[in-house]
Amino acid sequence: MKKLMLAAGLMSLMGTTAFAQMQIGVSVARFDDNGLTVMRNGMTAFDEANDDVALQVEDATDDVAKQLDQINNFIASGVDAIIVNAVDTNATEAMSNAAASAGVPLVYVNRQPINMDTLPDGQAFVASNEIESGTLAAFQMCRQLRAEGKAGGATAYVLVGQLSNQAAVQRTKDFHDVIGMDMCNFITIIDEQTANWSRDEANDLMTNWISSGEEFDAVFGNNDEMALGAIQAMKAAGISMDDVVVGGVDATSDALLAMSAGDMDVTVFQDLAGQGAGSIQTAMALANGEEVDKTVFIPFKLVTPDNLSEFQ
């Protein structure tokens, strides 16, 4: 009888432990984005390595209304915390208000919310400082153009991410700020348009630019996917990649392969997996009532052919 009671007690304890597992709802802007997939994989790896947390990860499919519904559903289901990779960073105030009203901790990851300065208690932002990303890439492109003897005048195209996204706005501003410096003001932007972070859209846009017949020396993409789309279009048009400086951001595996092949010159390593794991750690800390900085930054790192081997 004592053995049976002991076994029952252990089973009850195990059940209580499983029930105490922290539940975190995650809404990701879109699953079909390579960079966000790396971030999501970082979350999954953290989840698999830690028995005290369980994730429910949802795809918002680039739909703001759907993302807000997901957040409300997480709240209704009683999750301990919520992580959001925002579809539209201009729409985050409603998300913050919903979570704050329910008393559920909320962590934004990768994309900075528009209400960053007024985030309620129990909310935080985990990412990398976008001022670093575009600045590092643009300044290295400037240096390379000067080294290639083009300080007398060079022209560039800029591929912009989704205009509703703070990272796209900041990275484009970074490029403008760099070419406004005395050292880099020899660079003139021919045109800049959004390709919505998409390789296919960037390919189409670059093809249109090439068809105009305008000569150019550099292409800066707000992310690697768009830079890779531009490379595809240039190679299809018979343009030698030795004649164009191409830069991006994220240091995705495809971008590193392109750099190995001599097609891409500059990218910036964004530790997306680290952001994913860091967002879970931050959410757990908030759920446990711990004090957390409103902003948790994970540094960017410049990647060129010279240090490529460190990232492959």
Side-chain angles (χ1 to χ4, degrees):
M1 176 65 75
K2 287 183 179 179
K3 289 182 178 179
L4 286 173
M5 290 177 65
L6 178 60
L10 286 171
M11 290 295 290
S12 175
L13 180 61
M14 290 171 65
T16 302
T17 302
F19 183 79
Q21 189 179 47
M22 187 173 290
Q23 304 291 317
I24 298 178
V26 182
S27 175
V28 176
R30 51 190 290 187
F31 277 12
D32 63 351
D33 179 283
N34 284 354
L36 296 182
T37 298
V38 174
M39 181 194 74
R40 189 158 43 91
N41 289 342
M43 294 178 175
T44 302
F46 185 95
D47 181 24
E48 292 175 347
N50 292 272
D51 294 332
D52 54 349
V53 63
L55 301 183
Q56 179 184 341
V57 186
E58 302 286 347
D59 183 1
T61 64
D62 247 358
D63 185 326
V64 175
K66 182 175 182 179
Q67 185 161 62
L68 187 55
D69 284 343
Q70 289 171 348
I71 292 168
N72 287 325
N73 289 338
F74 289 148
I75 292 169
S77 68
V79 296
D80 298 291
I82 297 170
I83 297 171
V84 175
N85 168 246
V87 170
D88 184 347
T89 54
N90 291 313
T92 54
E93 194 164 3
M95 301 173 192
S96 286
N97 291 340
S101 297
V104 180
L106 174 65
V107 176
Y108 292 102
V109 61
N110 184 256
R111 298 179 175 182
Q112 181 173 317
I114 194 170
N115 56 320
M116 187 68 225
D117 293 338
T118 58
L119 282 184
D121 291 339
Q123 299 188 14
F125 171 53
V126 177
S128 299
N129 190 343
E130 293 298 349
I131 294 175
E132 296 177 7
S133 62
T135 302
L136 285 169
F139 190 67
Q140 178 61 26
M141 293 173 70
C142 164
R143 290 179 61 193
Q144 185 166 335
L145 288 167
R146 289 183 70 91
E148 293 178 0
K150 296 182 179 179
T155 54
Y157 285 113
V158 178
L159 293 155
V160 183
Q162 287 174 308
L163 298 177
S164 61
N165 192 289
Q166 184 271 342
V169 175
Q170 185 62 55
R171 291 175 189 178
T172 303
K173 181 180 183 300
D174 295 342
F175 193 83
H176 281 273
D177 288 346
V178 168
I179 67 173
M181 299 166 54
D182 289 343
M183 178 181 172
C184 303
N185 63 11
F186 64 91
I187 302 171
T188 300
I189 296 175
I190 303 171
D191 195 9
E192 61 181 48
Q193 292 187 40
T194 181
N196 294 306
W197 304 122
S198 166
R199 190 183 303 198
D200 289 342
E201 288 189 41
N203 189 327
D204 292 342
L205 180 55
M206 194 73 232
T207 299
N208 289 338
W209 281 335
I210 292 169
S211 67
S212 72
E214 187 89 35
E215 293 187 3
F216 58 96
D217 304 287
V219 177
F220 173 59
N222 280 176
N223 73 341
D224 287 340
E225 280 296 288
M226 294 189 295
L228 291 168
I231 288 170
Q232 289 175 338
M234 287 185 279
K235 294 177 77 171
I239 295 172
S240 171
M241 299 316 301
D242 292 335
D243 298 332
V244 184
V245 175
V246 181
V249 176
D250 285 338
T252 63
S253 56
D254 285 352
L256 298 181
L257 286 172
M259 188 174 286
S260 295
D263 295 335
M264 195 161 178
D265 302 280
V266 181
T267 187
V268 182
F269 175 66
Q270 179 175 195
D271 189 357
L272 291 164
Q275 289 179 14
S279 68
I280 300 174
Q281 291 172 313
T282 303
M284 293 176 71
L286 288 172
N288 286 326
E290 300 173 24
E291 286 193 13
V292 173
D293 289 338
K294 287 291 185 185
T295 304
V296 180
F297 278 146
I298 296 171
F300 281 104
K301 296 179 182 178
L302 181 69
V303 184
T304 69
D306 291 338
N307 67 346
L308 175 60
S309 60
E310 298 175 24
F311 299 89
Q312 288 179 312

